Amino acid sequence: MLNGDVLFERARVMNSFFERMSGLMFKKEIDADALVFKDTCWIHSFFCVIPFNVLFIGKDFKILNHFTKINKNKILPPVWNAKYTIEYLGGPLKISLDDKIEIIKA
């Protein structure tokens, strides 16, 4: 949530080694609104077939960086203080850096 608004209703936490390794690679769609990776500060878009967006979240749940419309075969710069990384499809969210999000487990 951000300012009382739900950003992703069906976010999926990527826990297993295979889930974390594959992410959006080779996928044209996902069965969730977003993929959440814990303890990830760096990503790439090799083998990704659709553009996507990424939020890097700090341990205090502040948004540290927001990359939008990432195309295939890109390497994003690391965001060293990131505790969570959220990959999502569609248009970029209207957010500001240093906004705080709230993660609610269902």
Side-chain angles (χ1 to χ4, degrees):
M1 291 186 74
L2 176 66
N3 301 325
D5 295 329
V6 175
L7 298 177
F8 309 109
E9 289 190 20
R10 296 180 311 123
R12 186 171 81 202
V13 178
M14 308 299 274
N15 287 318
S16 75
F17 173 77
F18 181 73
E19 286 177 327
R20 291 174 57 80
M21 182 184 73
S22 63
L24 289 170
M25 294 189 320
F26 306 109
K27 295 179 178 73
K28 292 184 180 177
E29 59 185 39
I30 56 176
D31 61 350
D33 296 336
L35 304 178
V36 180
F37 301 82
K38 190 174 179 188
D39 298 319
T40 302
C41 66
W42 173 84
I43 66 162
H44 65 80
S45 64
F46 297 125
F47 311 109
C48 292
V49 295
I50 52 176
F52 63 98
N53 309 291
V54 178
L55 289 171
F56 287 96
I57 312 296
K59 65 182 176 182
D60 57 357
F61 298 102
K62 280 188 181 178
I63 297 171
L64 302 175
N65 215 327
H66 185 208
F67 293 93
T68 60
K69 299 178 185 171
I70 300 162
N71 291 310
K72 62 183 176 181
N73 301 324
K74 303 291 181 201
I75 298 174
L76 296 181
V79 180
W80 296 113
N81 295 329
K83 181 72 174 170
Y84 301 94
T85 301
I86 302 172
E87 297 179 353
Y88 67 97
L89 304 178
L93 297 172
K94 295 188 182 347
I95 56 156
S96 299
L97 296 184
D98 291 331
D99 277 349
K100 274 192 165 185
I101 68 163
E102 180 182 357
I103 296 177
I104 299 171
K105 295 179 183 178

